[in-house]
Amino acid sequence: MSNPAGAKRGSQPGSKRFISGVVEGFYGRPWTMEQRTELFKREQKWGLSTYLYAPKDDYKHRMYWRDLYCAEEAEQLMALISAAKQHDVEFVYAISPGLDITFSNPKEVATLKRKLDQVKEFGCRSFSLLFDDIETEMCPADKQAFSSFAHAQVAVTNEVYQHLGQPETFLFCPTDYCAAFCTPNVSQSSYLHTVGEKLLPGIDVLWTGPKVVSHQISVESIDEVSSVLKRAPVIWDNIHANDYDPQRLFLGPYKDRPAELIPKLKGVLTNPNCEFYPNFVAIHTLATWCKSTADGGQRDVEMSDEEQDLGYSPQKALTLALTDWLQEFLSTDQPGGACRPLARLKKESSDEEPMQTDMGDPAYVPGSGENPLYTAEPLTLEDLNLLSELFYLPYEHGPAARTMLQELDWLKTHSEAATVETDKTAEWRTRAQRFDELCEAVVQMFNRLSNAPNRSILYDLYNYICDIKSGVGLARAYVKTLGGQDRPSAQLMNDDPEPWGFRGGLSGEFQRMLPCHGNRDLFRHPPMTAVYSIRPYCPEDKMEVQRIFREMQRAGEDKVPTMTQPLLISDGLSAGEMPPSPQCGLVLEDEIGVCGFALGLTDAKPAAAKIQRVVSDPDFPSLVTMQLLPRVTDSAPAKRMISGLLSSIRSCGSRGVFCELRQSDRRMLDFYTKLGSFKTIKMAGLPKDVVAMGMSL
């Protein structure tokens, strides 16, 4: 995979070489000098040729572009340029003067030349002028001097290019750097036509494709822009960039760019994730792509047998990258690697007690009946493949992520089969078990990643894998609740969850208030949020209420068998043996059908008498009962329903209400407790394992 010394990687004899490599062009904390040096080693090993230095948060690259580098900064840049040369990587220094340059002012242009002359003295021989992400309105002075914004940029770029001696590599990034920015389109863009006609032919143009982050880049789209620019573009590829969303990381392969593009391009530079170490996959798979040809043949670079067989297969390229990455994960030679055991220390003569260290004492061995020692299992290639599929690409989830989303959607849609025997019940249970196994695989991957020797990689990944583990845990608990296996439904309905139970942040709250939020989810199954309606109870609802009552009784059988469950005064009301008081009944419906009810009796004495019970507390004469199917996990409709019922009972002149709850019904106990208005009360003749709660009206 390495490049023969002095060869021009990816180039034909006598031609300018194919530019391939990495652009550090994201917004956020720049990479360290040590990380960049490590990058050069990787580029050399994998056959990439170029590094474009363009970190947006290097002040002297963009915001304070006029300022010369101080002695310390100069020393660092010289060391970096030297390191790139040592590893046969072309160092391209980029500068972004577009924020505030006055193109028509000769002093401004002289300042720009002086800055680049300084960098040239550091040993740099390749340069780039970037005019991306800036305002397009020219100042009055420039409007007098130039016919258009493109004309102003091209004039200064040509002058600087000639001043520097027409370097072999000189890159220009236009303000309209993708098709989406062109007015009215690429072929009719006056901006791009000016660039194509006026920019000197030795200057190459950067282009991101159809969009800033392009899902696909077709041969036809490159033919179109090449015709306008009068040269083949260099792709600045943002497919792995994540600086626009701190919750996303992209570990999928370089894909959706056919190998037929290669002879039609001047080069490809990937602008990857902000985090350095997770970019192993993005850069490794790009290197494999650059070596491929449309017919699967070998280009004029060294390739392994596996790579020669690729043509270009994203999945095969990904497997190659992950196999190599696994070795880095397991290495203790990287910065931040695991601590090697210390040799036994000799005790030197001293008046002070020596610091306690590992003195080679025998390892602890658990005795009979004691907990076994925790043993960290080694990270596997399957773990890294799962990691990649969970954090795949901007427009696509990996296979494992898609499967988990599809299974969860199916289990949620067919949740009725979990508690009522239907023709889908056996399938539901099988798929629920499979979903649980997928969730467990994520947990085990997290555990093994957390114990990998190379801590530097882990620290870049940690926030992301913690987040996905938490999200998978909530989904896992939800499915268990639907199946009646567990009691976390109380947590899922909780309106005061722990912070890890929801995704916070002001940005997310703004987005959820916007009308189109959610319509760009990669897994789409509208409606994105359940829609509930509450309506008055009518006699025709009796069978549905009975069905929900019996279903919830069966769901509680794993805790207390139905025959031994204590009778509640409200059981007769829920079972349809008596109707609710007039205007004291509500039902809850979702897209599937009736999923809950709230019923009340203004006078509970007759219902109590039916089961030889007495209601004697004058402060709580009325009875309420509510049941919700497990698929109702949002507490808001339940609150609205009980609030409406209490309002109706109050209007009938009642002083207060009570409800009876079995202690095994943790879900409803938690609900009433967290309402805050219901308090535990004492009632005569209350059966064992039954709790009474009351509320004054």
Side-chain angles (χ1 to χ4, degrees):
M1 292 177 66
S2 62
N3 177 56
K8 291 186 175 181
R9 293 186 285 273
S11 62
Q12 299 299 328
S15 67
K16 290 182 69 174
R17 66 175 175 175
F18 186 83
I19 296 170
S20 64
V22 178
V23 49
E24 184 181 347
F26 51 81
Y27 291 86
R29 177 184 295 178
W31 295 332
T32 66
M33 293 296 174
E34 292 76 15
Q35 289 171 335
R36 291 163 180 157
T37 302
E38 178 62 30
L39 171 64
F40 302 153
K41 295 177 182 177
R42 293 179 180 182
E43 288 196 86
Q44 182 181 38
K45 179 179 180 181
W46 299 336
L48 296 173
S49 65
T50 307
Y51 165 74
L52 176 58
Y53 176 89
K56 294 293 190 293
D57 286 335
D58 174 350
Y59 289 153
K60 293 185 179 180
H61 153 78
R62 185 174 175 86
M63 189 175 296
Y64 300 127
W65 61 270
R66 296 174 182 84
D67 294 355
L68 296 177
Y69 288 104
C70 68
E72 182 180 354
E73 294 165 338
E75 184 178 349
Q76 288 183 324
L77 272 175
M78 283 190 283
L80 198 61
I81 293 166
S82 175
K85 288 181 179 177
Q86 288 175 16
H87 295 285
D88 197 24
V89 171
E90 182 178 20
F91 184 100
V92 182
Y93 177 84
I95 191 166
S96 297
L99 288 175
D100 58 2
I101 187 174
T102 299
F103 293 93
S104 57
N105 187 338
K107 291 183 179 179
E108 289 276 79
V109 179
T111 299
L112 180 58
K113 293 176 182 177
R114 182 184 65 167
K115 178 66 168 286
L116 295 178
D117 283 340
Q118 183 194 31
V119 178
K120 189 174 182 180
E121 291 174 2
F122 300 160
C124 182
R125 294 296 177 265
S126 303
F127 300 90
S128 178
L129 278 183
L130 309 182
F131 294 105
D132 57 323
D133 302 339
I134 59 174
E135 295 295 331
T136 58
E137 184 67 21
M138 288 194 292
C139 66
D142 286 344
K143 287 181 179 178
Q144 289 184 353
F146 301 106
S147 60
S148 68
F149 197 41
H151 183 201
Q153 293 177 356
V154 167
V156 170
T157 302
N158 286 342
E159 185 174 343
V160 170
Y161 170 67
Q162 291 174 320
H163 170 79
L164 292 171
Q166 301 187 15
E168 180 181 357
T169 299
F170 194 95
L171 307 176
F172 168 81
C173 182
T175 304
D176 294 357
Y177 54 79
C178 66
F181 289 175
C182 296
T183 304
N185 51 50
V186 171
S187 62
Q188 296 176 288
S189 166
S190 59
Y191 177 94
L192 288 188
H193 274 288
T194 299
V195 171
E197 293 165 4
K198 302 296 184 183
L199 196 68
L200 291 173
I203 301 173
D204 292 309
V205 179
L206 294 163
W207 183 253
T208 65
K211 299 168 65 177
V212 178
V213 180
S214 295
H215 184 185
Q216 299 172 331
I217 301 178
S218 67
V219 170
E220 293 75 18
S221 71
I222 294 303
D223 284 341
E224 181 183 35
V225 73
S226 297
S227 175
V228 175
L229 293 176
K230 303 187 185 306
R231 71 204 77 202
V234 175
I235 296 297
W236 171 312
D237 208 324
N238 290 315
I239 192 62
H240 286 95
N242 71 337
D243 54 354
Y244 54 85
D245 189 340
Q247 289 185 309
R248 296 198 228 180
L249 185 75
F250 301 117
L251 305 178
Y254 191 74
K255 70 189 296 280
D256 295 316
R257 286 92 171 109
E260 290 87 349
L261 282 175
I262 294 174
K264 294 179 176 290
L265 295 173
K266 179 60 191 297
V268 178
L269 298 170
T270 180
N271 179 36
N273 299 282
C274 299
E275 297 81 3
F276 175 75
Y277 292 103
N279 286 319
F280 193 100
V281 173
I283 302 170
H284 194 293
T285 56
L286 171 64
T288 303
W289 182 87
C290 287
K291 297 167 189 168
S292 65
T293 60
D295 60 4
Q298 183 179 356
R299 302 184 74 209
D300 61 333
V301 290
E302 288 190 358
M303 300 175 71
S304 67
D305 292 339
E306 292 170 298
E307 290 172 322
Q308 290 183 38
D309 292 338
L310 277 176
Y312 181 72
S313 163
Q315 186 55 48
K316 289 182 179 179
L318 177 62
T319 300
L320 286 173
L322 294 178
T323 301
D324 285 354
W325 201 22
L326 179 62
Q327 300 310 309
E328 285 209 2
F329 265 102
L330 302 179
S331 171
T332 59
D333 295 331
Q334 302 296 321
C339 217
R340 292 183 178 85
L342 294 174
R344 183 184 295 272
L345 300 178
K346 293 184 179 180
K347 184 174 180 180
E348 299 180 0
S349 58
S350 172
D351 294 334
E352 297 180 2
E353 284 294 319
M355 179 179 67
Q356 291 188 4
T357 60
D358 179 2
M359 299 298 292
D361 295 331
Y364 170 74
V365 179
S368 176
E370 295 182 344
N371 282 327
L373 290 178
Y374 175 78
T375 303
E377 296 181 358
L379 190 67
T380 67
L381 182 60
E382 288 73 23
D383 291 324
L384 292 189
N385 194 63
L386 176 57
L387 177 69
S388 171
E389 292 183 5
L390 296 178
F391 298 95
Y392 204 61
L393 291 169
Y395 297 97
E396 180 183 2
H397 289 309
R402 288 200 303 272
T403 298
M404 294 183 77
L405 289 168
Q406 289 163 357
E407 290 302 298
L408 179 59
D409 180 67
W410 190 92
L411 291 166
K412 180 181 176 182
T413 302
H414 299 88
S415 60
E416 187 175 352
T419 49
V420 177
E421 199 70 30
T422 71
D423 59 345
K424 292 188 181 299
T425 297
E427 182 183 3
W428 197 97
R429 290 170 182 163
T430 299
R431 293 177 76 157
Q433 177 60 34
R434 173 58 182 155
F435 182 77
D436 193 74
E437 291 169 357
L438 292 170
C439 293
E440 179 61 19
V442 174
V443 173
Q444 293 305 318
M445 174 205 70
F446 173 88
N447 291 339
R448 288 190 280 265
L449 274 171
S450 299
N451 288 288
N454 192 320
R455 313 307 284 174
S456 296
I457 308 177
L458 173 66
Y459 296 150
D460 273 358
L461 291 171
Y462 199 71
N463 286 342
Y464 297 101
I465 61 176
C466 279
D467 184 66
I468 195 64
K469 177 173 173 278
S470 174
V472 165
L474 288 172
R476 190 181 195 183
Y478 173 67
V479 170
K480 287 188 175 182
T481 299
L482 293 179
Q485 303 171 30
D486 214 341
R487 54 157 291 202
S489 55
Q491 301 168 21
L492 292 169
M493 272 190 62
N494 191 351
D495 64 348
D496 185 26
E498 295 283 2
W500 57 80
F502 61 93
R503 290 296 163 265
L506 180 60
S507 175
E509 294 196 33
F510 278 130
Q511 291 182 38
R512 285 189 288 275
M513 293 176 70
L514 302 179
C516 293
H517 176 68
N519 70 354
R520 299 308 301 165
D521 284 353
L522 299 186
F523 179 81
R524 302 187 185 95
H525 190 284
M528 302 305 297
T529 304
V531 177
Y532 298 99
S533 62
I534 299 171
R535 60 172 177 79
Y537 170 89
C538 59
E540 289 77 15
D541 292 318
K542 178 179 175 179
M543 292 185 64
E544 285 298 302
V545 168
Q546 288 175 326
R547 177 183 63 81
I548 292 173
F549 173 62
R550 289 195 297 268
E551 185 173 329
M552 298 311 295
Q553 273 192 317
R554 284 194 296 270
E557 284 183 349
D558 61 331
K559 304 178 182 73
V560 181
T562 301
M563 297 300 295
T564 61
Q565 290 180 6
L567 283 177
L568 306 181
I569 299 174
S570 61
D571 284 350
L573 185 60
S574 301
E577 297 170 4
M578 64 187 73
S581 297
Q583 299 180 339
C584 290
L586 296 168
V587 294
L588 182 69
E589 289 182 311
D590 60 10
E591 66 271 15
I592 299 175
V594 176
C595 55
F597 63 83
L599 307 175
L601 295 171
T602 54
D603 183 3
K605 289 180 181 178
K610 285 181 176 290
I611 59 171
Q612 289 79 49
R613 294 271 301 283
V614 176
V615 176
S616 57
D617 193 332
D619 291 329
F620 305 105
S622 304
L623 171 72
V624 296
T625 184
M626 185 172 71
Q627 285 290 355
L628 302 166
L629 290 177
R631 69 175 185 255
V632 181
T633 59
D634 185 352
S635 63
K639 286 183 175 181
R640 292 199 302 271
M641 192 160 58
I642 196 68
S643 177
L645 178 59
L646 294 174
S647 179
S648 296
I649 294 175
R650 184 186 298 110
S651 66
C652 294
S654 176
R655 298 177 57 182
V657 299
F658 74 94
C659 64
E660 292 182 335
L661 302 163
R662 296 178 179 89
Q663 287 187 345
S664 59
D665 190 358
R666 300 303 308 174
R667 187 186 192 205
M668 285 295 108
L669 277 170
D670 286 345
F671 174 76
Y672 281 108
T673 299
K674 290 187 169 69
L675 276 178
S677 50
F678 278 82
K679 306 297 180 185
T680 303
I681 60 174
K682 293 182 179 181
M683 292 187 66
L686 200 65
K688 182 183 178 183
D689 297 328
V690 172
V691 176
M693 302 185 75
M695 172 186 171
S696 297
L697 298 175

